[in-house]
């Protein structure tokens, strides 16, 4: 099969969990439309309970959707379940390994479950990729938590799937191991693997993902290239360090059209958040100098993914 333009195509995907004796019916997904281009790194973000895990479980074939369509690498998960599942690898949040196997044995067993012939297995290549070649014949119980997570990535890749889903892969992992894990993942992406990442570390998503999708209350509220999403908050913050710490925020004049807002920070610095294009740096600096404030230093702060995420999921007004 020729490689499709999109690694993932989801249309009108809905999921409602049936009621139980103690719980009413629960609508987890309310009609998700999402397209993931081949070779991209997608950050799938959302608060706890937003529906991310339900979406992943449907794609992995462990949860039955209520309505809609999903294609993985061009294969419909209903009409071609075997092919669609073969096209995806999932690294779950929980570490699930048999501690009495070695990493090599664990990968061989996983490959066998996927029906990969012995002649086509890439056990040693995967161990090298995730930095576990020197632990090939050690027992899994002897591995650190970070090493076990890297082994989970290797297990998800034994059948060489073109799509890899990582569900909170760096939860509880120290900084050095996190960097190693991301180096492994980005190397896979450089080889053509499409990566779908869920994480609560938004700075990671901003740095690694070229596309961001945000789910909230079972609805897709944003799906855009990362730079475009970051431009949704049309504001910047100018941070002024005066020669002498301020004790109160100065009044900079009338705010035409709510063009800016001022904040006195605890360290005596003045932060002025303004809409890009509504007022210039020169105008703000002129208003500061008119207050007889001597400026020792200037810095600017751009909105990051966390600012956008909070604004979209909480309904908080954007700084004016």
């Amino acid at each position: 099969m020729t490689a499709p333009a999109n690694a993932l195509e989801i249309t009108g995907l809905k999921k409602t969990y049936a009621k139980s004796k103690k719980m009413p019916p629960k609508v987890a997904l309310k009609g998700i439309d999402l397209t993931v281009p081949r070779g991209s790194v997608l950050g799938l973000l959302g608060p706890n309970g937003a529906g991310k895990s339900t979406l992943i479980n449907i794609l992995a074939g462990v949860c039955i959707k209520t309505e809609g369509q999903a294609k993985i690498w061009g294969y419909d998960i209903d009409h071609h379940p075997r092919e669609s599942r073969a096209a995806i690898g999932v690294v779950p949040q929980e570490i699930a390994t048999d501690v009495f196997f070695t990493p090599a044995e664990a990968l061989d067993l996983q490959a066998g479950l996927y029906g990969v012939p012995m002649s086509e297995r890439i056990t040693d290549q995967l161990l090298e990729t995730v930095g576990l070649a020197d632990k090939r014949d050690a027992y899994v119980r002897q591995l650190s938590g970070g090493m076990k997570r890297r082994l989970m990535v290797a297990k998800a890749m034994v059948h060489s799937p073109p799509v890899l889903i990582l569900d909170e892969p760096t939860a509880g992992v120290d900084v050095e191991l996190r960097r190693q894990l991301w180096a492994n993942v980005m190397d896979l992406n450089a080889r053509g693997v499409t990566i779908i990442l869920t994480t609560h570390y938004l700075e990671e998503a901003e740095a690694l993902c070229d596309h961001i999708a945000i789910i909230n209350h079972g609805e897709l509220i944003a799906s855009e290239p990362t730079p475009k999403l970051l431009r949704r908050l049309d504001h910047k913050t100018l941070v002024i360090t005066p020669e002498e710490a301020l004790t109160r925020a100065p009044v900079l004049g009338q705010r035409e059209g709510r063009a800016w807002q001022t904040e006195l920070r605890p360290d005596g610095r003045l932060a002025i958040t303004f809409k890009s294009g509504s007022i210039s740096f020169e105008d703000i600096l002129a208003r500061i100098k008119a207050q007889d404030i001597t400026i020792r230093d200037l810095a600017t702060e751009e909105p990051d993914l966390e600012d956008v995420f909070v604004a979209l999921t909480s309904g908080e007004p954007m700084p004016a």
Side-chain angles (χ1 to χ4, degrees), residues 64-245:
I64 300 175
K65 63 183 175 61
T66 303
E67 188 179 324
Q69 183 185 56
K71 291 183 179 181
I72 304 171
W73 210 246
Y75 295 109
D76 188 284
I77 63 172
D78 291 327
H79 300 143
H80 302 94
R82 191 179 187 90
E83 292 86 349
S84 65
R85 292 176 190 177
I88 195 172
V90 179
V91 182
Q93 293 184 37
E94 301 80 13
I95 296 177
T97 58
D98 191 321
V99 297
F100 297 104
F101 285 155
T102 67
E105 291 170 341
L107 294 186
D108 275 336
L109 175 61
Q110 189 80 356
L113 294 174
Y114 274 99
V116 181
M118 290 292 295
S119 61
E120 298 178 13
R121 295 183 185 179
I122 53 174
T123 296
D124 289 333
Q125 178 184 330
L126 286 173
L127 289 173
E128 185 71 33
T129 297
V130 299
L132 292 177
D134 60 335
K135 302 293 183 181
R136 183 187 192 283
D137 299 315
Y139 285 111
V140 171
R141 65 174 178 268
Q142 297 174 311
L143 303 182
S144 67
M147 291 178 180
K148 290 176 182 176
R149 285 202 177 274
R150 282 185 275 161
L151 179 59
M152 294 291 291
V153 174
K155 286 180 66 177
M157 295 299 297
V158 294
H159 56 301
S160 301
V163 181
L164 180 65
I165 295 180
L166 301 117
D167 192 5
E168 298 287 346
T170 56
V173 176
D174 66 44
V175 174
E176 183 59 31
L177 289 177
R178 182 179 295 140
R179 293 177 65 183
Q180 292 178 10
L181 178 60
W182 286 132
N184 299 149
V185 170
M186 298 313 291
D187 180 61
L188 289 172
N189 179 247
R191 300 180 189 184
V193 177
T194 301
I195 307 294
I196 299 173
L197 162 71
T198 74
T199 180
H200 287 294
Y201 298 107
L202 298 185
E203 68 279 5
E204 286 185 346
E206 182 175 348
L208 298 169
C209 300
D210 51 47
H211 198 103
I212 298 291
I214 300 177
I215 295 178
N216 194 31
H217 300 302
E219 298 180 306
L220 187 69
I221 59 175
S223 178
E224 298 174 1
T226 305
K228 181 178 179 181
L229 185 66
L230 293 175
R231 290 195 296 269
R232 280 205 181 194
L233 292 186
D234 183 27
H235 72 267
K236 296 181 180 180
T237 299
L238 176 64
V239 182
I240 295 173
T241 303
E243 283 292 347
E244 297 183 4

Side-chain angles (χ1 to χ4, degrees), residues 240-260:
I240 295 173
T241 303
E243 283 292 347
E244 297 183 4
L246 300 176
T247 57
R248 62 180 182 83
V251 178
L252 301 182
Q254 184 179 359
R255 296 188 300 161
E256 298 89 349
R258 295 178 55 82
W260 73 85

